[in-house]
Amino acid sequence: MSKVDLTQVRPYGDTLNDGIVQLSLTLPLPLSAEAQEAARRWALQSGFQDPKVVHSQDLGEGFSFFVLYARSPVAVDFSSIKVLKSSHKTLEKAEIEALISSKLGRKLVVVGASIESDAHTVGIDAIMNIKGYNGHKGLESYHQIEAYNLGAQVACEDLLARALDVGADAILISQVVTQKDLHLRNLTRMVELLELEGVRNNFLLIVGGPRINYELAKELGFDAGFGPGTFAEDVASFMIEQVLINRKGDHDV
Ligand code: B12
């Protein structure tokens, strides 16, 4: 197998470095031969070479969906890429429980919700509910974690009030809807509220969702962000590491 040049990485389709990609897009046009040609020309004018429509479907109400194969002339220098990411190590559930019990000496208290207008609960439930997600039990199943899942459409004020009430170590927020950057406004609102009340440093502030990553979360003033494929042990490992580093729990021990 030929060696990949990490300074010139291109998409792989049929053979190494052929630059072939698969694109999908929706056009505000009913499906027709002209709409297929519009999809092809859009790809061509976007800089892709030799675009071909390989699948198209009418979505109703004047919209149609397309899948295209095309070739990209662009290569990226992988060797120069640096991504801001959390350095914590994800531990097994049993290791986390043992660490909390032996090093913190009390339960870790966590409050979570999907905030403001966001009604999506599956993400926060995947992390917090006892049954968890994809074979990974949620935080409620941890004997050493006191977990309060407030559900969906929780106002920032109500989430903070509950966090203060139960003496939470961490506030977990889920944001799924990103239309018109709604998630950015909601998340900024939460950070501003904590700062206004002078309690930002009382909590680990963590966000998760399909369009969230660590870098975005840090930019918004959160302590960490978790994206697709996160399990309870990922966030639990981060929380216990941070709580122990900050020695937040000392006064309660
Ligand atoms: C189910 C669903 C709904 C259900 C939600 C039911 C419920 N109780 O949750 C209902 C029907 C109510 C719904 C409504 C809407 N939805 Co909806 N919905 C979905 C759908 C199909 C699945 C989402 C889901 O459950 N994913 C599974 C979970 C497990 O994944 P996850 O959320 O990413 O969570 C993981 C990680 O992100 C992370 N994570 C998530 N949260 C957190 C939190 C923390 C603290 C941590 C550590 C990690 C973490 O860990 C999880 C596990 O790994 C998606 C499309 C899709 N296939 O994703 C659309 C989708 C999210 N919905 C969408 C939209 C637009 C809407 C509506 C606005 C539609 C409308 N016009 O009314 C409304 C919004 C209602 C509202 N006020 O919020 C869009 C969002 C687009 C965008 N750019 O924002 C999507 C992407 C569909 C689409 N392609 O258009 N929806």
PDB file of all heavy atoms in Angstrom, residues 2 12 17 23 44-46 67 113 122 134 141 147 157 166-167 182-183 185 198 218 240:
ATOM      1  N   SER A   2       0.527   2.244  -0.883  1.00  0.00           N
ATOM      2  CA  SER A   2       1.370   3.440  -0.920  1.00  0.00           C
ATOM      3  C   SER A   2       1.210   4.251   0.366  1.00  0.00           C
ATOM      4  O   SER A   2       0.164   4.234   0.998  1.00  0.00           O
ATOM      5  CB  SER A   2       1.015   4.316  -2.118  1.00  0.00           C
ATOM      6  OG  SER A   2      -0.166   3.903  -2.700  1.00  0.00           O
ATOM      7  N   TYR A  12     -10.563   9.932  -0.296  1.00  0.00           N
ATOM      8  CA  TYR A  12     -10.369   8.640  -0.946  1.00  0.00           C
ATOM      9  C   TYR A  12     -11.706   8.160  -1.494  1.00  0.00           C
ATOM     10  O   TYR A  12     -12.685   8.096  -0.765  1.00  0.00           O
ATOM     11  CB  TYR A  12      -9.838   7.650   0.104  1.00  0.00           C
ATOM     12  CG  TYR A  12      -9.696   6.228  -0.373  1.00  0.00           C
ATOM     13  CD1 TYR A  12      -8.445   5.717  -0.696  1.00  0.00           C
ATOM     14  CD2 TYR A  12     -10.800   5.396  -0.479  1.00  0.00           C
ATOM     15  CE1 TYR A  12      -8.310   4.408  -1.131  1.00  0.00           C
ATOM     16  CE2 TYR A  12     -10.668   4.085  -0.918  1.00  0.00           C
ATOM     17  CZ  TYR A  12      -9.419   3.597  -1.244  1.00  0.00           C
ATOM     18  OH  TYR A  12      -9.287   2.301  -1.675  1.00  0.00           O
ATOM     19  N   ASN A  17      -5.813   9.086  -3.118  1.00  0.00           N
ATOM     20  CA  ASN A  17      -5.573  10.430  -3.666  1.00  0.00           C
ATOM     21  C   ASN A  17      -6.431  10.804  -4.873  1.00  0.00           C
ATOM     22  O   ASN A  17      -6.136  11.780  -5.553  1.00  0.00           O
ATOM     23  CB  ASN A  17      -4.094  10.633  -4.052  1.00  0.00           C
ATOM     24  CG  ASN A  17      -3.209  10.663  -2.830  1.00  0.00           C
ATOM     25  OD1 ASN A  17      -3.665  11.069  -1.762  1.00  0.00           O
ATOM     26  ND2 ASN A  17      -1.970  10.232  -2.959  1.00  0.00           N
ATOM     27  N   LEU A  23     -21.522  14.053  -2.055  1.00  0.00           N
ATOM     28  CA  LEU A  23     -22.167  15.253  -1.526  1.00  0.00           C
ATOM     29  C   LEU A  23     -23.666  15.013  -1.445  1.00  0.00           C
ATOM     30  O   LEU A  23     -24.216  14.291  -2.283  1.00  0.00           O
ATOM     31  CB  LEU A  23     -21.958  16.441  -2.482  1.00  0.00           C
ATOM     32  CG  LEU A  23     -20.548  16.786  -2.918  1.00  0.00           C
ATOM     33  CD1 LEU A  23     -20.590  17.731  -4.116  1.00  0.00           C
ATOM     34  CD2 LEU A  23     -19.830  17.463  -1.768  1.00  0.00           C
ATOM     35  N   LEU A  44     -20.340  21.953  -9.733  1.00  0.00           N
ATOM     36  CA  LEU A  44     -19.290  22.403 -10.648  1.00  0.00           C
ATOM     37  C   LEU A  44     -18.841  23.824 -10.280  1.00  0.00           C
ATOM     38  O   LEU A  44     -17.648  24.112 -10.146  1.00  0.00           O
ATOM     39  CB  LEU A  44     -19.854  22.387 -12.082  1.00  0.00           C
ATOM     40  CG  LEU A  44     -18.902  22.240 -13.244  1.00  0.00           C
ATOM     41  CD1 LEU A  44     -18.028  20.996 -13.105  1.00  0.00           C
ATOM     42  CD2 LEU A  44     -19.709  22.166 -14.558  1.00  0.00           C
ATOM     43  N   GLN A  45     -19.827  24.699 -10.082  1.00  0.00           N
ATOM     44  CA  GLN A  45     -19.501  26.097  -9.764  1.00  0.00           C
ATOM     45  C   GLN A  45     -18.912  26.239  -8.368  1.00  0.00           C
ATOM     46  O   GLN A  45     -18.293  27.253  -8.049  1.00  0.00           O
ATOM     47  CB  GLN A  45     -20.748  26.977  -9.938  1.00  0.00           C
ATOM     48  CG  GLN A  45     -21.109  27.155 -11.405  1.00  0.00           C
ATOM     49  CD  GLN A  45     -22.460  27.842 -11.606  1.00  0.00           C
ATOM     50  OE1 GLN A  45     -22.907  28.597 -10.759  1.00  0.00           O
ATOM     51  NE2 GLN A  45     -23.095  27.571 -12.728  1.00  0.00           N
ATOM     52  N   SER A  46     -19.126  25.233  -7.517  1.00  0.00           N
ATOM     53  CA  SER A  46     -18.523  25.272  -6.176  1.00  0.00           C
ATOM     54  C   SER A  46     -17.076  24.800  -6.204  1.00  0.00           C
ATOM     55  O   SER A  46     -16.414  24.756  -5.163  1.00  0.00           O
ATOM     56  CB  SER A  46     -19.304  24.386  -5.214  1.00  0.00           C
ATOM     57  OG  SER A  46     -20.626  24.814  -5.126  1.00  0.00           O
ATOM     58  N   VAL A  67     -27.972  13.305  -4.274  1.00  0.00           N
ATOM     59  CA  VAL A  67     -26.655  12.803  -3.869  1.00  0.00           C
ATOM     60  C   VAL A  67     -25.794  12.837  -5.131  1.00  0.00           C
ATOM     61  O   VAL A  67     -26.235  12.407  -6.204  1.00  0.00           O
ATOM     62  CB  VAL A  67     -26.733  11.368  -3.306  1.00  0.00           C
ATOM     63  CG1 VAL A  67     -25.338  10.841  -2.993  1.00  0.00           C
ATOM     64  CG2 VAL A  67     -27.608  11.321  -2.055  1.00  0.00           C
ATOM     65  N   ALA A 113     -29.996  19.463  31.953  1.00  0.00           N
ATOM     66  CA  ALA A 113     -31.236  19.796  31.248  1.00  0.00           C
ATOM     67  C   ALA A 113     -30.935  20.209  29.821  1.00  0.00           C
ATOM     68  O   ALA A 113     -29.812  20.559  29.482  1.00  0.00           O
ATOM     69  CB  ALA A 113     -31.958  20.944  31.954  1.00  0.00           C
ATOM     70  N   VAL A 122     -33.379  13.368  24.042  1.00  0.00           N
ATOM     71  CA  VAL A 122     -32.721  12.059  23.885  1.00  0.00           C
ATOM     72  C   VAL A 122     -31.227  12.152  24.232  1.00  0.00           C
ATOM     73  O   VAL A 122     -30.669  11.239  24.842  1.00  0.00           O
ATOM     74  CB  VAL A 122     -32.941  11.485  22.460  1.00  0.00           C
ATOM     75  CG1 VAL A 122     -32.337  10.100  22.330  1.00  0.00           C
ATOM     76  CG2 VAL A 122     -34.432  11.434  22.129  1.00  0.00           C
ATOM     77  N   ASN A 134     -26.635   2.984  24.085  1.00  0.00           N
ATOM     78  CA  ASN A 134     -25.757   2.084  23.346  1.00  0.00           C
ATOM     79  C   ASN A 134     -24.928   1.172  24.274  1.00  0.00           C
ATOM     80  O   ASN A 134     -23.727   0.969  24.053  1.00  0.00           O
ATOM     81  CB  ASN A 134     -24.825   2.937  22.464  1.00  0.00           C
ATOM     82  CG  ASN A 134     -24.440   2.215  21.189  1.00  0.00           C
ATOM     83  OD1 ASN A 134     -24.967   1.142  20.909  1.00  0.00           O
ATOM     84  ND2 ASN A 134     -23.532   2.786  20.443  1.00  0.00           N
ATOM     85  N   SER A 141     -27.129   5.780  37.094  1.00  0.00           N
ATOM     86  CA  SER A 141     -26.817   4.425  37.550  1.00  0.00           C
ATOM     87  C   SER A 141     -25.551   4.377  38.411  1.00  0.00           C
ATOM     88  O   SER A 141     -25.234   3.339  38.984  1.00  0.00           O
ATOM     89  CB  SER A 141     -26.635   3.502  36.339  1.00  0.00           C
ATOM     90  OG  SER A 141     -25.385   3.767  35.715  1.00  0.00           O
ATOM     91  N   ALA A 147     -27.562  12.406  40.505  1.00  0.00           N
ATOM     92  CA  ALA A 147     -27.856  13.032  39.209  1.00  0.00           C
ATOM     93  C   ALA A 147     -29.302  13.492  39.130  1.00  0.00           C
ATOM     94  O   ALA A 147     -30.220  12.736  39.438  1.00  0.00           O
ATOM     95  CB  ALA A 147     -27.572  12.028  38.097  1.00  0.00           C
ATOM     96  N   GLU A 157     -32.659  30.204  34.332  1.00  0.00           N
ATOM     97  CA  GLU A 157     -32.856  30.593  35.741  1.00  0.00           C
ATOM     98  C   GLU A 157     -33.267  29.383  36.592  1.00  0.00           C
ATOM     99  O   GLU A 157     -32.798  29.218  37.717  1.00  0.00           O
ATOM    100  CB  GLU A 157     -33.950  31.674  35.868  1.00  0.00           C
ATOM    101  CG  GLU A 157     -33.584  33.039  35.324  1.00  0.00           C
ATOM    102  CD  GLU A 157     -33.670  33.137  33.801  1.00  0.00           C
ATOM    103  OE1 GLU A 157     -34.093  32.151  33.145  1.00  0.00           O
ATOM    104  OE2 GLU A 157     -33.293  34.196  33.263  1.00  0.00           O
ATOM    105  N   VAL A 166     -29.289  22.120  45.182  1.00  0.00           N
ATOM    106  CA  VAL A 166     -28.744  20.788  45.514  1.00  0.00           C
ATOM    107  C   VAL A 166     -27.223  20.825  45.708  1.00  0.00           C
ATOM    108  O   VAL A 166     -26.607  19.801  45.965  1.00  0.00           O
ATOM    109  CB  VAL A 166     -29.118  19.726  44.452  1.00  0.00           C
ATOM    110  CG1 VAL A 166     -30.617  19.565  44.356  1.00  0.00           C
ATOM    111  CG2 VAL A 166     -28.530  20.054  43.086  1.00  0.00           C
ATOM    112  N   GLY A 167     -26.612  22.022  45.579  1.00  0.00           N
ATOM    113  CA  GLY A 167     -25.155  22.137  45.749  1.00  0.00           C
ATOM    114  C   GLY A 167     -24.416  21.371  44.685  1.00  0.00           C
ATOM    115  O   GLY A 167     -23.490  20.590  44.973  1.00  0.00           O
ATOM    116  N   LEU A 182     -29.340  29.447  17.285  1.00  0.00           N
ATOM    117  CA  LEU A 182     -30.107  29.534  18.524  1.00  0.00           C
ATOM    118  C   LEU A 182     -29.324  28.982  19.715  1.00  0.00           C
ATOM    119  O   LEU A 182     -29.370  29.523  20.830  1.00  0.00           O
ATOM    120  CB  LEU A 182     -31.415  28.745  18.336  1.00  0.00           C
ATOM    121  CG  LEU A 182     -32.403  28.754  19.480  1.00  0.00           C
ATOM    122  CD1 LEU A 182     -32.927  30.170  19.703  1.00  0.00           C
ATOM    123  CD2 LEU A 182     -33.570  27.821  19.166  1.00  0.00           C
ATOM    124  N   HIS A 183     -28.602  27.883  19.462  1.00  0.00           N
ATOM    125  CA  HIS A 183     -27.840  27.255  20.547  1.00  0.00           C
ATOM    126  C   HIS A 183     -26.797  28.214  21.114  1.00  0.00           C
ATOM    127  O   HIS A 183     -26.563  28.257  22.318  1.00  0.00           O
ATOM    128  CB  HIS A 183     -27.199  25.951  20.076  1.00  0.00           C
ATOM    129  CG  HIS A 183     -26.195  26.100  18.972  1.00  0.00           C
ATOM    130  ND1 HIS A 183     -26.430  26.835  17.836  1.00  0.00           N
ATOM    131  CD2 HIS A 183     -24.935  25.598  18.823  1.00  0.00           C
ATOM    132  CE1 HIS A 183     -25.375  26.783  17.052  1.00  0.00           C
ATOM    133  NE2 HIS A 183     -24.458  26.037  17.624  1.00  0.00           N
ATOM    134  N   ARG A 185     -26.969  31.457  21.251  1.00  0.00           N
ATOM    135  CA  ARG A 185     -27.638  32.463  22.094  1.00  0.00           C
ATOM    136  C   ARG A 185     -28.040  31.868  23.443  1.00  0.00           C
ATOM    137  O   ARG A 185     -27.842  32.465  24.485  1.00  0.00           O
ATOM    138  CB  ARG A 185     -28.868  33.027  21.367  1.00  0.00           C
ATOM    139  CG  ARG A 185     -28.512  33.928  20.192  1.00  0.00           C
ATOM    140  CD  ARG A 185     -29.652  34.862  19.835  1.00  0.00           C
ATOM    141  NE  ARG A 185     -30.824  34.144  19.337  1.00  0.00           N
ATOM    142  CZ  ARG A 185     -30.952  33.669  18.096  1.00  0.00           C
ATOM    143  NH1 ARG A 185     -29.972  33.835  17.224  1.00  0.00           N
ATOM    144  NH2 ARG A 185     -32.045  33.037  17.719  1.00  0.00           N
ATOM    145  N   GLY A 198     -22.682  35.911  39.975  1.00  0.00           N
ATOM    146  CA  GLY A 198     -21.396  35.737  40.669  1.00  0.00           C
ATOM    147  C   GLY A 198     -21.110  34.302  41.061  1.00  0.00           C
ATOM    148  O   GLY A 198     -20.386  34.055  42.037  1.00  0.00           O
ATOM    149  N   LYS A 218     -15.423  25.996  24.812  1.00  0.00           N
ATOM    150  CA  LYS A 218     -14.458  26.869  25.503  1.00  0.00           C
ATOM    151  C   LYS A 218     -14.644  28.314  25.055  1.00  0.00           C
ATOM    152  O   LYS A 218     -14.610  29.232  25.872  1.00  0.00           O
ATOM    153  CB  LYS A 218     -13.013  26.410  25.219  1.00  0.00           C
ATOM    154  CG  LYS A 218     -12.664  25.067  25.804  1.00  0.00           C
ATOM    155  CD  LYS A 218     -12.685  25.024  27.304  1.00  0.00           C
ATOM    156  CE  LYS A 218     -11.385  25.450  27.924  1.00  0.00           C
ATOM    157  NZ  LYS A 218     -11.388  25.231  29.398  1.00  0.00           N
ATOM    158  N   ILE A 240     -14.884  14.251  37.293  1.00  0.00           N
ATOM    159  CA  ILE A 240     -14.157  13.893  38.515  1.00  0.00           C
ATOM    160  C   ILE A 240     -12.717  14.391  38.447  1.00  0.00           C
ATOM    161  O   ILE A 240     -12.178  14.891  39.431  1.00  0.00           O
ATOM    162  CB  ILE A 240     -14.249  12.375  38.847  1.00  0.00           C
ATOM    163  CG1 ILE A 240     -13.566  12.078  40.184  1.00  0.00           C
ATOM    164  CG2 ILE A 240     -13.725  11.479  37.762  1.00  0.00           C
ATOM    165  CD1 ILE A 240     -14.118  12.818  41.376  1.00  0.00           C
TER     166      ILE A 240
END
